[in-house]
Amino acid sequence: MHQGKGHQRVLVDGSELIVESSVRAGADVFIGYPITPANRIFQYSGSRFQTVLAAPDEITALQWMAGFSATGKLPVTATSFPGLALMVESINMAYMMELPMVIILVQRLGPSTGSATCGAQGDLSLLSGLISGGYPMPTFCISRIEDCWDMSAAAVTAAVELRSPVILLTSKEMVMTTRSFEVTALEEVGSVRWNLHAGNDAYRPYQPEENLVPRFLPLGNDLHQVRFTSSSHDRHGLLRHGDSEALANTLRLKEKMERNLSTFIHYELDEEAAADVLVVSYGVTAPAAREAVAHLRQTGTRTSLFVAKTLCPIPQAYLDTMERYRRVVIAEENQDGQFRQLLFGRRGRAGVSGVNAVGRMIDPHDIIKEVEQHVR
Amino acid sequence: MCDRHFLSSEPLHFCGGCGHHLIARNTEKALQRVTDLRPLDVILVTDIGCHGIIDRSFLTHTIHGLHGRSIALAAGISAGLDAPGKKVIVFIGDGGATIGLQHLIEAAHRNFNMTVVIHNNMLYGMTGGQSSGLTPCGYKTKAFPEGQPYVGYDLCRKANNVGAAYARRVIGTGDFSGYLEEAITTPGFSLVEVVEVCPSYGAKRNPDRTLTEIVKQAGLKVQLYSHPPRESYSRPKRTPVASLLDHNTAIPLTHASTLANPRSLSINGSAGEGVQSAAGIFARAAIAAGLHVTKKESYPVTVGVGFSTSELILSPDPILYTGIPAPDVVIITSQDGLERSGVTIGRMKRGLVLIDESLDAPETAARVVQRNFRGQAGPRSATLVALFHYLGVDPIFPTNSLTNAVQQSKLSGKLNLERMMATSCA
């Protein structure tokens, strides 16, 4: 960690902080396949990770990652929607096998190849339904430059502690904009510890602990047989066709996430006394929301701010907080308000409105205008 | 009799007459013959297909993944293993090998340490007997009852072509454990394609044809394709940097800025003319003067030609929102830059446009200042010269801060800094 007092500003981009924090948190391997706007993460990883492999395509990337993870290494990759689309089946496999890994998703404008160098927040709906059956995929979001550090570490930690793939969601603007930054503001990041099976008792790869997360042992260890399986399986990791034990094991995957949700909820709530309006945002739009709320307060509009960083599964605390506000304005850089619909469904809720944009960043004035329209 | 058992003595769950029985039994025999190999030294990676139900019968480590991806999964496992003496074996069908052909090529090419056993029963048995990429021409399947209309892949030759030290096709009858043993003891990538018949879908539609005849008529050879063994893939022994941040030294505060509000700059020039490096130096100079800075780059996908744009926000206060809906200052150093920024300039209601004197001054409500950037120190230094000029027009921080930043940059020594400053401040 950089030490010292006073002016300790460096020029960094978010990619640099993401890579450094991930390694410090315990990531071992980076598997890359080039795609804009995630390339800088691949580039920095080439200097920082002990092991870096260039995959020939994104399906291979995820499969190699699963292989590394099955041997007890924590792999990371970075991609954008076209790459994620190829990874989806393999992410489902890793989810079912309960293999830890981090997939950094740098959003860009779609559909399809869209505009590679134009930012967006268009992939949240996809992530919320990524796992067949509607099982929640832990998804963390970078909502300010400091989150490149904090949320990267959180993602690595959650992946290991939940024995699961984890998505770290960001966008082009956050990882490609260079900026002055006070390095002394960074918290220490410690390496995550794997909860390993110990002792002479036979290892059952899917025998849940009290928190519903099974202990881990790597393939190739000399003491216990390890079986990992992508298909429905029992506690031993043996394929079973929909019997009660296999079904219970599958259902546990959802319960595992919900049981442990409180340990990986990250959000910012900046409430102003007697405020009637809550501005909600996440990701690349969150800084605009911060500026908007600061301006509104300066001009006499009592406003609170909510910045979400854990996006899936949606914590109940989010809904409870929003319930307390008559007016909720949700700002996100997509067409129909994907987070808004995750929170309130397609029918929405009285008093909830969205500020949205496609192909451009949401300006703080867009948010100010929406809030003032309802306050007057 | 070997006391090391890799395969359970329980009955296998394959159809009667299925060649998968023989592959499992021959694999057991082969593994038993490999000295010092214990069950927990073996990681069996199985694909989707009838063969994939074998996991429960093996006493080794097992992992059962997706259709066609088992070779890629095995590559990750092989690369991830730390202890020497481990053996990764892949069981995959001809259908899996078809959909995962890229993975097979990649694993053979990079020489990941594994043995791939292809259960080639010439069709998709689990899904009803459709043709695969390995179905021989003329072989009758549910999808092509009149016979497969095209020639199937010769996987052994393909693996050989990309460097596999050992790729052998065998007829899946009798004892072929010796070949499996050879493959298993070959360092790096090895492959054994076992040609067999599916009793449920293959034998009924192709009666009275022996495996040997089918293979011969398909033009395939029952033989070994080999290269001298080469070093198998291992994780590169490299020393990564201890910290990315250690290489990013803090910029000391050496000057002061007069800037009271955020200022956004759009710097537009041509690729290869140092736009991004000059903007980076300017950003460091601004930080040294106590300002907060953001910097964005923009250029066409063909990075070596066309425009190059850098957008900066400078502010006395921390910068949250990094968007620039309309810049306060536009600097243009080339025709590419002018074309890139033309629309932006036309929309400006205020602010400053600083443009090289060789270019046509655009119509805009902003203040336009024309100076000689390109002529002073050449096109490659035009942006830096322009930024010195900018500080002369809009002294938001001392020129000395920029001079210091240039001297501390990679451009130091390559530029005639005194001449640059003298002309820009004139």
Side-chain angles (χ1 to χ4, degrees), chain B residues 343-360:
Chain B
V343 174
T344 302
I345 296 166
R347 288 177 180 162
M348 288 174 76
K349 306 288 184 212
R350 57 179 180 78
L352 171 68
V353 175
L354 195 56
I355 182 169
D356 187 82
E357 64 184 15
S358 68
L359 304 170
D360 293 333

Side-chain angles (χ1 to χ4, degrees), chain A residues 90-110:
Chain A
S90 297
I91 294 173
N92 273 256
M93 181 194 84
Y95 192 88
M96 192 67 161
M97 288 183 173
E98 299 185 69
L99 296 176
M101 62 177 64
V102 174
I103 300 112
I104 303 167
L105 179 61
V106 186
Q107 294 169 102
R108 68 186 214 186
L109 187 62

Side-chain angles (χ1 to χ4, degrees), chain A residues 315-328:
Chain A
Q316 182 62 37
Y318 289 13
L319 296 166
D320 293 344
T321 301
M322 291 169 205
E323 188 66 30
R324 293 194 273 108
Y325 287 83
R326 188 183 63 82
R327 169 61 56 181
V328 178

Side-chain angles (χ1 to χ4, degrees), chain A residues 18-31:
Chain A
I18 288 169
V19 171
E20 182 62 34
S21 176
S22 298
V23 172
R24 291 189 189 200
D28 299 294
V29 181
F30 187 87
I31 312 285

